[in-house]
Amino acid sequence: MDRTITVRGTYAAFLTHMALSLAPWRLIFLPFAGIVMLGYVLRLVNRGRAKELNQALLIGRRVNRERIRPAVEAYADKVIARNIRAGALAQIAQDRASGCRLVIASASFRLYVEPIAKRLGFDDVIATDHFSQGVDYIRARIAGENCYDVAKLRMIEAWMSREGIARADAHVRAYSDHVTDAPLLGFADEGYAANPHRALASLAAEEGWPVLHW
């Protein structure tokens, strides 16, 4: 989703939006969130743990799901209004018209990916889940895997199995902006490098994946 459908990344903006909406005093933790991200860059913490720590800082370790829902929905509205690529909307409409089942697979949290996906008309969401998915509170912990890199492909394959979709019977079309989705693009029957950064553009040239600029 991020930078494929959206122009900018959504997670840092989501955390800031939630802090402003729920507890503006938590913005004093923004420098610490920056330190966490530096730790990720230096490989002192992994990507998933960095997301957990920053959520704990800016939203809280445990928050009531219904209490935060209005702020989450408002953030989805903001993304739709200000952060969606026009070319992505056109491609979504074209794929929908051709009869595709539309699925977002994102490393971002399901908590806010689902309302964005609903507004865009997607059928399904595969995303990073919270440990407390399905109960009345949100904990700053990831359930299972962070939906990123090879883990994203594993989660897609697991979703297909649950949905009763045999790989041999499916025609998969996938779009991504980032080289970490190379496993997914290689898995697809049609893999597209959409708005690719340099590493993915280079790999797309090697693999013969078409490049799209939305």
Side-chain angles (χ1 to χ4, degrees):
M1 181 178 76
D2 283 13
R3 298 185 179 88
T4 302
I5 295 172
T6 67
V7 178
R8 300 172 299 279
T10 59
Y11 187 58
F14 170 70
L15 293 179
T16 303
H17 167 88
M18 295 301 286
L20 282 168
S21 300
L22 302 173
W25 62 268
R26 286 190 175 273
L27 294 176
I28 65 174
F29 294 130
L30 277 174
F32 297 98
I35 291 170
V36 170
M37 292 313 298
L38 178 61
Y40 166 67
V41 170
L42 297 175
R43 299 185 179 181
L44 300 176
V45 294
N46 65 34
R47 190 180 185 91
R49 184 57 178 152
K51 289 167 71 171
E52 292 174 338
L53 291 170
N54 281 340
Q55 181 175 324
L57 287 168
L58 294 172
I59 300 179
R61 292 189 178 278
R62 175 169 168 160
V63 291
N64 180 272
R65 189 181 293 273
E66 287 304 313
R67 174 175 172 262
I68 69 172
R69 187 181 301 278
V72 174
E73 295 290 338
Y75 181 69
D77 288 335
K78 186 184 295 186
V79 171
I80 296 300
R82 307 177 188 174
N83 194 20
I84 300 295
R85 295 179 185 271
L89 290 176
Q91 188 67 59
I92 290 166
Q94 180 178 323
D95 287 343
R96 183 187 299 115
S98 68
C100 293
R101 183 171 179 176
L102 303 179
V103 183
I104 284 183
S106 175
S108 297
F109 278 116
R110 180 183 301 275
L111 175 67
Y112 73 87
V113 174
E114 281 191 336
I116 293 170
K118 181 179 180 181
R119 285 158 171 78
L120 292 172
F122 276 78
D123 301 299
D124 300 278
V125 168
I126 301 164
T128 304
D129 283 317
H130 283 96
F131 186 74
S132 51
Q133 194 75 28
V135 296
D136 64 357
Y137 60 87
I138 297 289
R139 290 181 61 188
R141 286 187 58 191
I142 290 173
E145 296 188 282
N146 187 36
C147 188
Y148 183 75
D149 205 304
V150 294
K152 180 180 288 187
L153 179 55
R154 284 195 292 268
M155 292 173 72
I156 289 168
E157 290 177 317
W159 173 83
M160 291 177 68
S161 177
R162 291 193 302 272
E163 292 293 311
I165 302 171
R167 179 65 186 91
D169 298 332
H171 184 89
V172 178
R173 185 180 298 158
Y175 308 90
S176 179
D177 69 289
H178 202 273
V179 72
T180 54
D181 280 330
L184 169 58
L185 296 177
F187 171 80
D189 298 289
E190 298 178 49
Y192 295 90
N195 325 305
H197 69 153
R198 183 175 298 177
L200 180 56
S202 176
L203 182 61
E206 295 175 13
E207 298 291 337
W209 298 328
V211 174
L212 305 175
H213 294 285
W214 292 338

